Amino acid sequence: MPSLATLRAFAQAVESNDHVGAIERFYAPDAAIRENDDPPIRGREALAERERRLLATVAGVKTTRLGPLLYDGDHAAIRWRFEFTASDGSVRAMEEIAWQTWRGEQLIEEHFFYDRRTPGKPSRKDAASGVEP
């Protein structure tokens, strides 16, 4: 079970847009991320590299936590809003819920839930595959 201090530090890293650093510091070596119904991606190094690729497709991203950290034992949930700025200056936004499972102080599984069909809102999958949001 993570401490509240760990959860706060994780959220602060993500909110400061240190997305790759958050993966490197808080995820277990065998961590997995799953988006909606997609198959999971496994391994901290693969997850960090995927995040680097996603961030390379945009000029910038603003991350905002919407609401409190919700947690119970080894589980936590965070509601996020991401505003992606494209190279042409246009901004698109998406909101997601991140459902997390922790093992002690390390994140071992994260499942993102968001609507890919909402017009004008990019998906992490599109950004990670090189399609500019």
Side-chain angles (χ1 to χ4, degrees), residues 14-117:
V14 175
E15 285 180 286
S16 71
N17 294 315
D18 186 11
H19 299 242
V20 175
I23 292 169
E24 293 172 340
R25 284 193 309 276
F26 295 98
Y27 286 56
D30 60 338
I33 287 180
R34 181 175 179 185
E35 298 192 31
N36 291 324
D37 293 330
D38 293 346
I41 297 169
R42 299 183 186 284
R44 180 174 54 210
E45 294 306 317
L47 299 172
E49 181 55 32
R50 182 172 172 273
E51 195 70 14
R52 281 186 199 92
R53 285 193 320 267
L54 180 148
L55 294 171
T57 68
V58 296
V61 62
K62 178 184 176 189
T63 307
T64 306
R65 182 169 49 95
L66 304 175
L69 295 168
L70 304 175
Y71 67 99
D72 183 24
D74 290 336
H75 300 285
I78 305 173
R79 182 176 170 207
W80 296 109
R81 177 179 173 84
F82 300 97
E83 295 177 17
F84 296 94
T85 302
S87 57
D88 67 1
S90 63
V91 177
R92 295 189 183 167
M94 68 175 280
E95 291 184 15
E96 75 178 19
I97 301 294
W99 178 256
Q100 302 174 332
T101 303
W102 291 74
R103 179 175 55 221
E105 297 293 314
Q106 292 190 313
L107 187 54
I108 60 167
E109 184 177 277
E110 194 163 33
H111 193 156
F112 299 124
F113 298 92
Y114 56 89
D115 186 355
R116 290 186 179 145
R117 298 171 296 173

